[in-house]
Amino acid sequence: MALKLYTYWRSTAAYRVRIALNLKGIEVEQTSVHLVKDGGEQHSAEYVAKNPTHLVPSLELEDGTVLAQSLAIIDYLETLQPDPALLPKDPVLRAKVLAAAHVVAMDIHPVNNLRVAAHLGATFGATPEDKQAWMCHWMTVGFEALEQMVRQDTKFAFGDTPSLADICLVAQYYNARRWGLDLTPYPRLTEIEQTCLAVPAFANAAPEVQFDAQ
């Protein structure tokens, strides 16, 4: 059995993994886990048996082992196939790349996804406008930091080749556009995004071109 990626076209976390797979040229079989239909297929007993977090993505290995969490999956891929590297060897630069990636994956995204929006509505009566304001607030906080953290003199966020920071940024920028965030205060981040999207590995991972896009 080939590697199998459980994904959803609009999931920014799954988007990250698709980019990493493309950059490394690793082929996988993809299975869609619809996050909305029938209350969310990620809550089905069959899927939860594979990934108890009720989240995508999941990567199922050839021996049936299932890996969860996008950054953990990308770390596995980095170990499995080190070239091209998504993390620099220099320890200081590596820490900077990780810090930028973590701003997205650990500061913005945990309070900026579907289940949080649903909870805001169900528990606190948040309106669609409230949810949009919430999402945009936390992305603004993160992007203001990232605009200063990335390098200003390189093609990508921290060098002339894509890194984990670029992967996380591009996926979150998709979400920012979806929620209508004004991105004009972040010219450097926007420049990086456009540079990345010109690379086939990024473009072919984009949500709107996925097999399950609706």
Side-chain angles (χ1 to χ4, degrees):
M1 182 182 73
L3 294 174
K4 180 183 288 188
L5 180 67
Y6 294 87
T7 183
Y8 181 62
W9 68 287
R10 266 188 169 170
S11 163
T12 54
Y15 190 0
R16 297 172 198 152
V17 173
R18 293 195 302 264
I19 296 169
L21 287 165
N22 289 348
L23 286 169
K24 291 183 175 293
I26 299 174
E27 294 187 3
V28 296
E29 175 187 343
Q30 294 194 47
T31 296
S32 180
V33 179
H34 201 294
L35 300 185
V36 179
K37 186 172 65 176
D38 299 326
E41 293 177 349
Q42 71 275 23
H43 304 306
S44 69
E46 180 182 5
Y47 185 73
V48 173
K50 296 180 180 293
N51 185 343
T53 69
H54 298 240
L55 298 170
V56 295
S58 300
L59 183 68
E60 187 169 357
L61 309 185
E62 294 184 5
D63 65 359
T65 299
V66 178
L67 305 179
Q69 294 292 334
S70 63
L71 295 194
I73 293 170
I74 293 172
D75 183 70
Y76 168 79
L77 298 175
E78 183 82 340
T79 303
L80 181 70
Q81 188 163 305
D83 186 39
L86 301 178
L87 288 169
K89 291 184 179 180
D90 178 81
V92 173
L93 187 56
R94 179 188 176 94
K96 289 185 176 182
V97 169
L98 283 171
H102 290 177
V103 167
V104 173
M106 298 182 184
D107 293 342
I108 299 174
H109 188 244
V111 292
N112 217 235
N113 58 33
L114 179 63
R115 64 179 182 175
V116 169
H119 184 70
L120 288 171
T123 305
F124 303 105
T127 66
E129 293 76 18
D130 293 332
K131 293 175 185 179
Q132 181 181 24
W134 170 277
M135 297 294 187
C136 290
H137 169 75
W138 293 113
M139 284 188 281
T140 297
V141 171
F143 289 160
E144 284 179 353
L146 278 176
E147 181 74 11
Q148 304 305 314
M149 293 172 69
V150 298
R151 289 185 58 173
Q152 307 297 313
D153 59 346
T154 52
K155 183 177 181 181
F156 295 94
F158 288 95
D160 293 326
T161 58
S163 70
L164 181 61
D166 299 282
I167 290 172
C168 289
L169 172 63
V170 167
Q172 193 62 46
Y173 243 54
Y174 167 78
N175 208 37
R177 294 184 189 282
R178 181 183 170 197
W179 285 98
L181 180 66
D182 178 13
L183 297 172
T184 55
Y186 320 112
R188 176 58 181 145
L189 298 183
T190 302
E191 178 184 43
I192 293 168
E193 181 216 26
Q194 295 306 305
T195 298
C196 289
L197 291 178
V199 177
F202 283 83
N204 294 336
E208 59 272 11
V209 299
Q210 298 311 299
F211 73 99
D212 59 339
Q214 298 176 10

